[in-house]
Amino acid sequence: MSKPDYAVGQSWTYRTRPGEEASRVAIRRMDLEPEDGEVFHVSILGVKLRNHRLPGGIQPAMHHAAVSRASLDASLLELDGQADAEEHWRDGYDVWRQAYDNGDAGIFDLPLADVLGYIERVVAASGEAR
């Protein structure tokens, strides 16, 4: 079986969490890293990410996540056209890039629905809103 041709600017359907079936994954950037190989920088849009730090407690998008090809292979279902051109992901990428280069960040190798659950647990464990 050949590898899917993932490309910057694509929008994909994926194996979502229950209630987030309209969510889409946008591929924002691809890097080749000596330690991790292919790293895909994605936005996960149209989610209901629990975040006690926001008014209403729900975040509608995860603008940046660094994931492996295995993460995409385990998650993506169908190419759904072109992604939007929004640039919110760049702030998260810049933070990740600096931390990654310093050895303080990595990439996710989990299915994307599990990445969302993990992020919710980390945010919940970070304490109350300030």
Side-chain angles (χ1 to χ4, degrees):
M1 188 167 137
S2 66
K3 294 184 193 179
D5 290 326
Y6 302 129
V8 172
Q10 292 175 337
S11 175
W12 288 79
T13 62
Y14 70 104
R15 290 180 178 87
T16 63
R17 303 186 302 177
E20 295 178 339
E21 289 78 12
S23 177
R24 296 292 182 266
V25 173
I27 299 177
R28 303 296 189 189
R29 180 183 173 115
M30 298 184 322
D31 290 331
L32 200 54
E33 300 296 341
E35 296 285 317
D36 292 303
E38 290 177 304
V39 178
F40 296 86
H41 301 277
V42 301
S43 297
I44 308 173
L45 308 170
V47 294
K48 298 177 181 96
L49 199 61
R50 291 189 310 273
N51 184 342
H52 64 271
R53 295 172 176 212
L54 295 178
I58 298 293
Q59 184 175 321
M62 185 170 165
H63 292 293
H64 176 262
V67 302
S68 67
R69 175 174 281 276
S71 181
L72 295 185
D73 288 346
S75 304
L76 300 188
L77 297 172
E78 291 183 17
L79 184 60
D80 192 42
Q82 289 296 112
D84 63 33
E86 72 85 17
E87 297 286 317
H88 294 299
W89 67 273
R90 289 188 182 278
D91 292 338
Y93 173 82
D94 291 343
V95 170
W96 174 88
R97 179 86 257 169
Q98 184 172 1
Y100 185 85
D101 289 345
N102 290 338
D104 296 328
I107 66 170
F108 287 107
D109 206 20
L110 304 167
L112 297 175
D114 294 346
V115 169
L116 293 170
Y118 173 82
I119 295 300
E120 283 181 334
R121 289 190 300 278
V122 168
V123 170
S126 69
E128 291 306 309
R130 301 206 191 297

